Structures are given as C-alpha cells and as structure tokens.
Amino acid sequence: MTVDVMRPPAPAERQARTAVAVLFFTNGALFANLLPRFPQIKADLGIGNAAYGLAVAAFPAGAIAAGLAAGVLIRRLGSGRVAVAGTLLTAVGVLVAGTAGSVVLFATALFLAGAMDAITDVAQNAHGLRVQRRYGRSIINSFHAIWSIGAVVGGSMAAGAIALGLSRGQHLLISGVLFGIAACVALRFCLTGPDTEPAAEGTDSEDRESEPRRQERMTARPRTPYVLAALVLIAAAGALVEDAGNSWAALYLSESLRAPGALAASGYIALVGAQFVGRMIGDRLVDRFGQRTVARSGGLIAAVGMGLALAVPTASGTILGFAAAGFGVATLVPAAMHEADELPGLKPGSGLTIVSWLMRLGFLLSPPVVGLVADATSLRVGLLVVPAAGLLVILLSGVLQPRRRGPA
C-alpha cells in the first residue's frame, strides 16, 4: 500500500479506528457464541457426523454465495452501514440456528448467517482500509487481532452460559442484542462520505515504484497464475485449520474424549486465543525472518502440534494441539492476501478479491470431508486434515517473500 498521508490522525479518524475495532470484535464474538453449542445441537437433532458436517457447511456455502455481492452493496450504501446491517442479520441467523428444531432449519439459518458474515467481513475490512489510508500507516493487522479477541470472548461467553445452565435461546438472544447494540453505536463514529476517496484514486502505483521493483514485477508476470493458485491454497489451508476448531474441537473433546461441556469449549478458545497471540507478534516475526520462513515455521508447528495431539489423545493434549494449530496458521491468511494484492499483471484489488473469495472453499469443504471420514473411521482420523494442512503450507510457502518489503 502506498502511503499518501503522513500526519497525525484527527480525532474523527481515531474514533473511526475504534469503531472499526468494535465491528471486528462483534464479528468475531457473534458466531463464536454458537460454536460451543454445536455438540448439544447435534445431539438434539439426532444426526450423524456426515449429516452434521453437511449442515455446518451451509455457513461457508452462504459466504461463498453472497461474497461477491458485498462490493455492490458497499458502493450503494457505504461500508459502515453494510457492516452494521450485516452484523445485525448475522445475529439473527445465529439465534435461529441455535434454536432450530430441524436439520433443514439449522442449515438454512447457518446459510443466512454465513452470507451475512461474509458481507460484514468485506465491509469492515473496506472501512478499516479506508481508515488506514487516513492514518498513513498500516493498522489493518490490529483489527484482525481484535477479531481474535472477540472470538475468544464469544467462546468464553458460551462456555459460561453452558456452565450456568442457560438455554441456547436465552444465551444467543443476549449475545445477539448485546453485540447488535455495540455495532449500532459504532456506526455513529464511522467515517462519513463515499468509500472511494480522491486520495485512493487516480494514481498509478507503478509510477511510485523503484525501477528494480518494477523490473521484478514485469519479470514475475508469467508466473502470476501459478503463484495466485498457491496463495489461494495457503489461505484455504489456514481457513481449514480454523474451521477444524470451529466445527469439530468441541465435538471431538466431548464425544471422543468424554470431556465435560465447559472444558470441551476450551479447544476452540485455545485455537483462537493462540491465533490472536500469533497475530500480535506476527508483524515483528515477519520483519525479522520474512513471510516465507514464518509460514513454513507455522505450518510445521501446526502439523507437529496437532499430529502429536491426535497420536496421543488426551483432553489437555488436544487443547494444546488446537492451540499450536491456531498459532501456526495465524499469519497465513494476511500473508496470502498481502502477496496476492501485489501480484503483477492483475488489476488493483483483483488478487486480494480472488484469494478472499476462494479461500472460503476451505471452510466449505472441511466440514463434510471431516464428517464423512469420521463416520467411516473416527473423528480422530478425520482431524488429520489439520496436520495435513500444515504440511501443505510447508510445501507451498516458497511463493511468499523471503523478507518483508519496505513501504512502497
């Protein structure tokens, strides 16, 4: 990203940064309140692992179906309004999914929640990047770290609700109203005016590049499709590992390892908590060692950590394994998006859009694949997709930069 503004942020811009942080927090917390409830929902609906996996896949299916509509909505309504509207509708979908009395209604509500979550995700990132342009320096990673905090808080709220004996309807209504109000208050402090501002238009980024960098981009253009495909797979691997925590951590701990409900929720909390830590220190690691080394090391940590947890199955070891997986994949999606956004031969934003959209295939394919393998063998075998994803990252990370690039 080219820095055009080199001045201290105005009070309105600092308020807008806080508002975007609130939107990321609520987005992380809303769905996380539902995830630890999945084992109880599955038991109440009386479905097997394969049917459960297909039903849960409705969430990423909705995200893929609606993802490309976000741009049109943002241009017409503004990214702030779209993010808040998407948050409110996500809360409705989560509440309906949590109280559904049939598999069809459960999957339909998850499809709606996934569609709205995808639109919210694009809109809040768009507004965050708009605030970042005003700041004149990178702040987008801090928003993603705050999303992880929201996910930890949401998972912890669910664990607390389970321990207190709150019904799913009571619990999810409280969380939906709470975070819906927070999002509406945040909208008051979002930036006003159109999202496409003069500072972001009418300039050719290549005109501001150094000659060596321009030559590097021109030479790399024939490889762009292959690099883009590898970046999609890297991002999808990160998404797959995250989905394993979303969809299967609580189920594996409660059903396969007989952990109590509150403890079973700890697998997901450990994954997103470690992911938050990885994102907080990720920029410094990348500055020192480069994206390639960080990604390879992360893939190794995820593969070895979760591999050992599955090889020697205990509740505490599995929670640590999910934590290792979350830490290992923490920087993968931001790294793939950043790299895709700078690929030569593509229109501005095209690489980022493609990676953002296609990486959701990891969320879509993971639940039914794991479910089918679990029904044929065991859920323990199905979760081998996590160390496999880590190995895939190790193999493909050569497309990432060996060291962090300086500002353009």
Side-chain angles (χ1 to χ4, degrees), residues 243-257:
D243 180 76
N246 292 353
S247 302
W248 300 103
L251 201 64
Y252 177 64
L253 283 161
S254 63
E255 290 192 356
S256 300
L257 301 181

Side-chain angles (χ1 to χ4, degrees), residues 11-408:
E13 291 159 355
R14 290 196 293 269
Q15 291 175 350
R17 180 178 182 177
T18 301
V20 174
V22 170
L23 292 175
F24 270 83
F25 180 90
T26 58
N27 183 248
L30 268 175
F31 193 59
N33 268 276
L34 178 63
L35 296 175
R37 294 289 196 168
F38 276 176
Q40 186 183 5
I41 294 171
K42 178 176 178 289
D44 289 348
L45 294 177
I47 55 178
N49 287 323
Y52 167 78
L54 289 171
V56 171
F59 186 89
I64 291 174
L68 295 181
V72 176
L73 293 172
I74 289 170
R75 286 191 292 272
R76 291 185 177 180
L77 303 175
S79 56
R81 290 192 184 97
V82 172
V84 173
T87 297
L88 297 177
L89 291 173
T90 300
V92 172
V94 166
L95 176 60
V96 174
T99 56
S102 69
V103 178
V104 173
L105 182 57
F106 177 57
T108 301
L110 285 180
F111 185 91
L112 170 65
M116 294 303 102
D117 179 78
I119 290 173
T120 302
D121 184 48
V122 174
Q124 68 188 12
N125 274 284
H127 207 80
L129 289 170
R130 186 180 171 194
V131 175
Q132 178 173 272
R133 288 194 292 272
R134 296 285 191 91
Y135 264 66
R137 58 186 172 86
S138 177
I139 59 173
I140 196 68
N141 287 327
S142 68
F143 295 137
H144 286 270
I146 289 169
W147 183 95
S148 296
I149 296 177
V152 172
V153 170
S156 300
M157 286 175 63
I162 293 171
L164 291 173
L166 291 179
S167 69
R168 294 197 300 272
Q170 292 172 326
H171 160 218
L172 296 174
L173 179 61
I174 291 170
S175 66
V177 170
L178 176 64
F179 295 122
I181 291 173
C184 290
V185 172
L187 180 60
R188 286 193 57 198
F189 301 98
C190 287
L191 296 175
T192 58
D195 280 85
T196 305
E197 301 179 71
E201 292 181 332
T203 55
D204 184 354
S205 62
E206 290 193 5
D207 290 341
R208 293 186 294 266
E209 288 182 319
S210 64
E211 186 60 29
R213 176 65 180 143
R214 186 180 303 177
Q215 291 297 327
E216 177 188 345
R217 287 171 66 86
M218 294 294 292
T219 302
R221 279 182 179 174
R223 297 177 57 244
T224 292
Y226 307 102
V227 174
L228 184 61
L231 293 174
V232 168
L233 289 174
I234 289 173
L240 187 151
V241 171
E242 187 175 329
D243 180 76
N246 292 353
S247 302
W248 300 103
L251 201 64
Y252 177 64
L253 283 161
S254 63
E255 290 192 356
S256 300
L257 301 181
R258 300 290 187 265
L263 180 62
S266 299
Y268 170 72
I269 295 170
L271 184 142
V272 294
Q275 188 179 57
F276 164 73
V277 173
R279 285 172 173 170
M280 288 296 292
I281 67 174
D283 286 334
R284 282 175 287 174
L285 293 175
V286 169
D287 284 340
R288 182 169 183 179
F289 302 108
Q291 293 278 21
R292 184 181 301 171
T293 299
V294 172
R296 280 179 177 162
S297 301
L300 181 63
I301 290 170
V304 173
M306 197 62 195
L308 288 174
L310 293 172
V312 186
T314 63
S316 59
T318 297
I319 292 171
L320 290 175
F322 277 113
F327 183 83
V329 304
T331 64
L332 293 185
V333 171
M337 289 181 172
H338 175 267
E339 202 70 30
D341 203 37
E342 295 196 349
L343 282 176
L346 297 177
K347 293 180 180 180
S350 296
L352 175 60
T353 300
I354 292 170
V355 169
S356 299
W357 190 55
L358 289 180
M359 79 170 187
R360 294 183 181 274
L361 289 174
F363 290 110
L364 177 64
L365 296 176
S366 175
V369 169
V370 174
L372 289 170
V373 172
D375 276 353
T377 55
S378 68
L379 184 51
R380 180 182 171 193
V381 174
L383 286 173
L384 286 173
V385 296
V386 175
L391 295 176
L392 180 65
V393 171
I394 295 172
L395 292 174
L396 297 177
S397 57
V399 301
L400 299 172
Q401 290 298 311
R403 64 181 181 278
R404 187 179 178 88
R405 295 171 181 166

